[in-house]
Amino acid sequence: MSTDEGAAAHQEALWGAPAETEGAAAAVIDADGTVAGWTRGAGRLLGYAAEEVLGRPFADLLAPTGAARPRHRRGHRREVGLRISRLAARDGAPRWLASFDPRPDARRRLASERLALLSEASTRIGTTLDVMQTGQELADFAVPRLADYVTVDLSESVSLGAEPLVRLGMDAGRVPVFRRAGVASIHEGIPESLWDRGQPVFVPPASPFTQVLTSGKSFIEPVLRKSLGTWLRCDPERTRVIRTTDMHTVMMVPIQARGVVLGIAVFVRTDNPAPFEQDDLVLAEELVDRAALSLDNAHRYTREHIAALALQRNLLPSRLSGGPALEVSSRYLPADLDHGVGGDWYDVMALPRDRVALVVGDVVGHGIQAAAAMGRLRTALRTLADMDLPPVELLTRLDRTVGRLAQEDADSQGATVAGVGATCLYVVYDPAERTIDIAGAGHLPPVVVSPDGEATVTRIPSGVPIGLSLGHFESVRIEIPDGSLIALYTDGLVEFPTEDIESGIRRLAAALAHPGLPLEELCDRAVAARRTPSLSDDATLLLARTGPSDAP
């Protein structure tokens, strides 16, 4: 063994691993308290050469005040932090590692500032269940706190509520494609970005981008210009932007959750001359980890929202027909992404003797379960309507059917009966008698507009919601002339946080009090009369006009 090899082996046995001691400020302490190892960093910090301290008691290097503070060779006490830890040496001998921190106060202050920054990030990033918005919030928060320019690009596996991405190239059959979800810069107009939000982003096959994506590990390049002759050689557009905007340091952090990489966050400095350091990368990873949790929740929720919306629309009637007795039209507005698809449904069914049944209902809850429960209710109600039951008996049997299905579900799953819970309004129009029979199960009353434009909110017994197995319902019969308008709706169309629901119903009635307008236009007017464009609940409207009408 050569002299250098012997020294390296001794160093490894002493420190427990091949030590990179050039920059570290540390000492090894033997079991008897003497100094057995001394790094050059410790020498520069405290002024002692290795030969001056090796074999001496470590206590000689501490200030005589009793505080565990190292002192400089010249005798003055240094504001140096000291941490003692057990050293797992390879030779098995008990030793301790004394690590000196030259800037303990500055580091503590920096740690406190970063803790406050991360606390603020938890309230500023992920405020909605929108994937694109969350990506933008991450970019906005990091500029200029950490970087001068930040991009957040999400991989094609993340549903952004848009069409799937088209691959922009091929490399062994796989070239990742991203869509820009967030971008921010200290410069107006963001001259650093080649792509706007929502646009597909090209990623070179042989680049740190793909390394981060495939490995799930971060990448940091303190001096970016060193790359201009390597992977950037095949990316002239990025090279041009790097040169013209003075990008000089970069970090790339994978956005990952549940073991899956969702995308990449890129941090760049242009005006700030300081290169990124390891501490900056740790902070960036902390920020991205917080955003990744929100992005994962938003991603999963978006997928469920899309699935529930597809299920909802497939279960609702694609075409409505009131036969010769009624002209019908409808609107269904799903809730916004933050609140999720609900369980609204509507239907129009032909009955014997040219009569027509109209129904609107609302299942409690949101998401796929509410949509599936709505489908079961709609199917059960259609089956009962085919039996031509009076409205009260139909709702009574529907309530029993729902209770029985809930009990069967509970028996099969070993759970208690929770019930479905739904409101419903069932109306039967008889063109021969010019009457409507109305029965409600906890639902809002219909609005009836006469041929001369008088809108009336029909008062009916409210009844109890479906699924409570109470079976107490009543009906009323109202005579209406030809050309009358019947409006059935759900609370999402008329209920707002800033006012009582009666005000919303009156606003709907006023919007419909125009008998000469086509039904499609009346539907548009009813939707436009809402107080807010955003929907916290599904909104459904079913309009039916009776008999011959003077409408053009």
Side-chain angles (χ1 to χ4, degrees):
M1 178 183 297
S2 68
T3 303
D4 289 344
E5 290 173 341
H10 173 73
Q11 186 81 321
E12 182 172 348
L14 182 66
W15 296 90
E20 296 179 3
T21 59
E22 182 64 30
V28 174
I29 307 172
D30 269 337
D32 60 0
T34 61
V35 178
W38 188 256
T39 69
R40 294 179 183 179
R44 286 193 295 269
L45 181 66
L46 298 178
Y48 293 98
E51 57 270 19
E52 293 181 283
V53 296
L54 292 176
R56 288 179 56 182
F58 182 72
D60 289 353
L61 306 179
L62 302 180
T65 59
R69 290 288 180 88
R71 63 176 179 177
H72 195 270
R73 184 174 181 276
R74 296 189 179 92
H76 59 273
R77 191 177 67 176
R78 292 296 306 268
E79 291 298 323
V80 174
L82 175 63
R83 186 176 72 251
I84 307 293
S85 58
R86 182 67 180 263
L87 186 63
R90 292 289 177 84
D91 61 3
R95 295 190 180 96
W96 285 264
L97 179 68
S99 300
F100 305 111
D101 185 351
R103 297 182 298 167
D105 295 336
R107 291 185 184 276
R108 281 194 294 268
R109 185 167 57 253
L110 179 62
S112 176
E113 291 173 352
R114 292 193 168 182
L115 185 62
L117 187 67
L118 293 173
S119 176
E120 183 185 359
S122 65
T123 64
R124 300 277 297 276
I125 301 173
T127 61
T128 71
L129 287 169
D130 182 274
V131 172
M132 295 289 287
Q133 181 63 27
T134 301
Q136 186 59 44
E137 288 172 350
L138 171 59
D140 288 338
F141 186 82
V143 173
R145 293 175 175 86
L146 178 59
D148 298 334
Y149 167 61
V150 173
T151 61
V152 179
D153 299 330
L154 300 181
S155 72
E156 60 182 348
S157 64
V158 180
S159 174
L160 306 179
E163 293 299 317
L165 296 180
V166 177
R167 294 185 181 275
L168 299 181
M170 295 295 291
D171 178 46
R174 293 174 63 89
V175 170
V177 177
F178 297 84
R179 193 182 296 275
R180 182 136 296 171
V183 58
S185 170
I186 61 172
H187 300 119
E188 186 177 354
I190 316 183
E192 303 94 335
S193 182
L194 291 170
W195 296 278
D196 295 330
R197 288 186 69 215
Q199 289 186 330
V201 175
F202 172 67
V203 174
S207 69
F209 296 98
T210 51
Q211 294 173 21
V212 170
L213 179 67
T214 56
S215 69
K217 297 180 180 179
S218 299
F219 171 85
I220 180 171
E221 192 158 11
V223 182
L224 179 57
R225 292 192 179 275
K226 291 182 179 180
S227 292
L228 294 179
T230 57
W231 63 271
L232 283 168
R233 181 175 50 196
C234 301
D235 197 344
E237 282 301 300
R238 277 194 173 91
T239 300
R240 178 186 60 79
V241 170
I242 289 172
R243 293 183 186 278
T244 57
T245 61
D246 291 327
M247 297 184 187
H248 63 87
T249 184
V250 64
M251 298 185 295
M252 301 179 187
V253 180
I255 304 170
Q256 50 190 339
R258 307 177 196 273
V260 177
V261 177
L262 304 177
I264 296 177
V266 180
F267 303 82
V268 176
R269 282 177 178 167
T270 54
D271 293 26
N272 185 340
F276 284 126
E277 299 178 348
Q278 195 64 31
D279 285 347
D280 298 312
L281 182 60
V282 171
L283 177 58
E285 289 175 336
E286 290 277 1
L287 290 175
V288 170
D289 284 347
R290 280 160 169 74
L293 180 60
S294 298
L295 280 168
D296 183 55
N297 290 337
H299 171 44
R300 291 162 62 87
Y301 189 83
T302 299
R303 287 191 303 177
E304 180 176 329
H305 180 86
I306 292 172
L309 183 57
L311 177 62
Q312 178 88 316
R313 286 175 170 166
N314 286 333
L315 292 172
L316 293 173
S318 57
R319 290 185 59 189
L320 296 176
S321 175
L326 288 176
E327 177 193 3
V328 293
S329 185
S330 65
R331 285 289 186 279
Y332 167 65
L333 306 174
D336 59 38
L337 192 62
D338 284 345
H339 296 88
V341 175
D344 283 15
W345 92 93
Y346 58 91
D347 215 339
V348 178
M349 296 160 287
L351 300 177
R353 303 186 304 279
D354 291 332
R355 292 172 303 140
V356 181
L358 308 171
V359 61
V360 162
D362 186 1
V363 174
V364 175
H366 295 84
I368 290 179
Q369 290 185 340
M374 175 274 289
R376 297 176 74 179
L377 272 175
R378 179 171 177 259
T379 300
L381 190 144
R382 267 191 162 268
T383 301
L384 294 172
D386 286 341
M387 300 169 63
D388 196 17
L389 300 173
V392 168
E393 186 176 351
L394 181 142
L395 292 182
T396 301
R397 292 201 184 188
L398 181 63
D399 185 48
R400 292 173 184 171
T401 299
V402 170
R404 185 176 68 253
L405 292 174
Q407 183 63 60
E408 291 174 356
D409 289 344
D411 291 343
S412 64
Q413 299 172 7
T416 57
V417 180
V420 172
T423 64
C424 179
L425 187 66
Y426 187 72
V427 177
V428 175
Y429 171 62
D430 187 338
E433 300 292 333
R434 291 184 172 81
T435 60
I436 53 175
D437 290 328
I438 310 170
H443 202 82
L444 298 172
V447 173
V448 177
V449 181
S450 66
D452 61 4
E454 182 181 356
T456 304
V457 180
T458 305
R459 299 302 172 187
I460 61 171
S462 61
V464 295
I466 299 295
L468 301 181
S469 299
L470 298 177
H472 180 71
F473 305 101
E474 299 180 48
S475 67
V476 295
R477 173 170 292 183
I478 300 172
E479 294 184 2
I480 57 174
D482 290 342
S484 297
L485 182 72
I486 308 166
L488 283 64
Y489 52 94
T490 58
D491 55 4
L493 193 65
V494 294
E495 189 173 25
F496 309 99
T498 57
E499 66 179 15
D500 59 80
I501 197 168
E502 285 77 13
S503 298
I505 296 175
R506 288 194 295 270
R507 187 179 295 105
L508 171 64
L512 298 175
H514 300 274
L517 296 179
L519 292 188
E520 287 295 314
E521 187 171 341
L522 287 175
C523 285
D524 292 339
R525 290 178 63 90
V527 171
R530 287 180 45 80
R531 293 295 299 273
T532 172
S534 108
L535 288 172
S536 60
D537 195 7
D538 289 12
T540 298
L541 175 66
L542 177 61
L543 296 183
R545 181 175 282 143
T546 66
S549 172
D550 295 332

